[in-house]
Amino acid sequence: MNINQNIVRIRTGTQIGSGIIYPCEACKEYKYKPWYIIFTNRHLVKDLTDISDENKLKKMVAFDIYDQTGKLVDMDLILDIRLFTCQNLSKEDNKEPEGSLKNLVGLEDIAAFLICFEIEIKMDLEIKLMWDDKKLNTIYVEGFPKVLYDNEISSKIQMQGKYKKVFPENNKFGIFQITDDYHWYSNFKDLKLFQGFSGGPVYNMEENSHFIVGLNQSVLNINEGENPFKLLYYYKIKYVLEYLREKGCIIFRRNEDHSVNVRWIYERNKES
């Protein structure tokens, strides 16, 4: 399994960010086609207002998905695409969430795409999920920073961090501190540098095995983009799944190998 396969770049008319692709099942159309769910942040899809029209949606969003050989998957192979944002997007979504737990608790910055490919795409996705992050130490975040968008060598970067306990404890958010050194010899501050990491996977390694820990959400914004403690917030993957289930988007079943079986049920719930 290769965690690098799970990382997707998401591009809309105004936003660039990341997502986590994971195997999924769908209930109706194209039953025997390969389906995947892409977990991401809701603020990344704020300009996708006409989410009920699947044909328009395909024109308004682009995914950079890579197969197991590292080749970019042709977007024309996407047969169907759907979006779940938990509630209707509004003008309030034009504001990116501020980096404090007080502000984050009032928001549900979670969205999910369902995509179907015309043919089977060879991908070696990591499927193991971390259900309890209390014993974590070193963790990683990976994504597509906006400042590297036009970089010809590599537009994706990995950052290493150390897990930090949240006080008081909660079941929704985790915090980690970036331990990698990074500099930008310009006037960019941390908030600018980390744009594009939103929605990317937070993960760890245990005996050469990766576990998806969470969905990256935001950088701590203390003063106009400054982040002296190098802290990032993430949604715990357990919470992401449970929230989407509660809102009628998916159902899932945990397996003994630390994976989950996910089924998309949103359209079925709308019809019932």
Side-chain angles (χ1 to χ4, degrees):
M1 304 295 181
N2 185 354
I3 188 67
N4 292 309
Q5 296 275 289
N6 296 78
I7 304 165
V8 176
R9 177 158 58 187
I10 301 172
R11 292 174 286 131
T12 71
T14 62
Q15 300 292 310
I16 297 176
S18 304
I20 304 172
I21 189 169
Y22 198 87
C24 187
E25 301 173 9
C27 295
K28 288 190 175 181
E29 305 97 323
Y30 315 122
K31 184 176 181 180
Y32 299 104
K33 298 290 185 179
W35 290 91
Y36 296 90
I37 190 169
I38 299 176
F39 305 107
T40 191
N41 289 141
R42 187 168 172 264
H43 71 262
L44 294 178
V45 297
K46 63 186 181 182
D47 55 339
L48 302 183
T49 55
D50 195 1
I51 60 175
S52 62
D53 190 320
E54 297 168 14
N55 291 324
K56 284 188 177 181
L57 188 58
K58 289 179 69 173
K59 297 177 181 178
M60 296 169 67
V61 62
F63 302 108
D64 290 352
I65 301 171
Y66 295 86
D67 64 20
Q68 65 182 18
T69 68
K71 183 180 178 181
L72 186 66
V73 176
D74 190 343
M75 278 287 293
D76 290 337
L77 294 177
I78 295 181
L79 186 63
D80 194 2
I81 177 173
R82 302 168 193 184
L83 173 62
F84 180 78
T85 59
C86 304
Q87 52 187 304
N88 292 332
L89 298 175
S90 66
K91 293 181 180 179
E92 291 299 316
D93 293 289
N94 291 329
K95 301 178 182 179
E96 292 199 15
E98 295 291 335
S100 73
L101 279 180
K102 181 179 178 181
N103 291 327
L104 294 179
V105 169
L107 295 171
E108 299 305 344
D109 193 18
I110 297 172
F113 287 97
L114 178 72
I115 61 173
C116 175
F117 287 112
E118 177 70 36
I119 60 174
E120 190 73 36
I121 306 296
K122 292 184 178 180
M123 291 191 289
D124 189 23
L125 298 176
E126 182 56 74
I127 59 174
K128 293 189 294 296
L129 307 181
M130 178 69 68
W131 218 250
D132 184 1
D133 62 0
K134 293 181 180 179
K135 296 182 180 180
L136 285 175
N137 186 13
T138 300
I139 54 179
Y140 303 87
V141 62
E142 199 157 347
F144 293 90
K146 193 172 182 179
V147 294
L148 294 180
Y149 180 71
D150 295 322
N151 191 292
E152 296 181 357
I153 305 300
S154 178
S155 58
K156 184 175 69 173
I157 192 169
Q158 177 199 74
M159 301 290 285
Q160 181 175 309
K162 185 175 288 291
Y163 173 78
K164 295 293 182 180
K165 289 185 177 180
V166 177
F167 182 82
E169 289 189 3
N170 69 86
N171 295 322
K172 183 185 295 190
F173 293 107
I175 296 178
F176 64 99
Q177 184 178 47
I178 297 295
T179 54
D180 277 335
D181 192 18
Y182 58 89
H183 289 282
W184 187 270
Y185 298 100
S186 182
N187 58 355
F188 286 157
K189 295 184 178 180
D190 286 13
L191 188 63
K192 182 77 172 180
L193 289 174
F194 283 96
Q195 284 182 350
F197 277 97
S198 293
V202 176
Y203 60 93
N204 84 321
M205 292 182 61
E206 291 186 3
E207 298 179 353
N208 296 320
S209 181
H210 294 94
F211 283 79
I212 299 173
V213 175
L215 179 76
N216 195 48
Q217 203 275 336
S218 70
V219 61
L220 176 64
N221 181 10
I222 291 180
N223 180 29
E224 297 181 354
E226 295 177 349
N227 180 21
F229 300 111
K230 301 167 71 173
L231 298 177
L232 296 180
Y233 296 126
Y234 65 89
Y235 278 107
K236 299 181 180 184
I237 194 64
K238 175 184 177 182
Y239 179 79
V240 173
L241 290 168
E242 291 178 343
Y243 180 75
L244 291 174
R245 179 175 62 184
E246 176 188 332
K247 296 301 180 181
C249 176
I250 65 170
I251 55 176
F252 68 90
R253 184 186 71 231
R254 294 176 62 186
N255 301 316
E256 292 183 359
D257 63 355
H258 303 288
S259 68
V260 294
N261 292 106
V262 180
R263 172 168 287 193
W264 183 279
I265 61 169
Y266 179 50
E267 282 74 20
R268 185 180 69 181
N269 283 343
K270 286 199 301 183
E271 294 170 0
S272 60

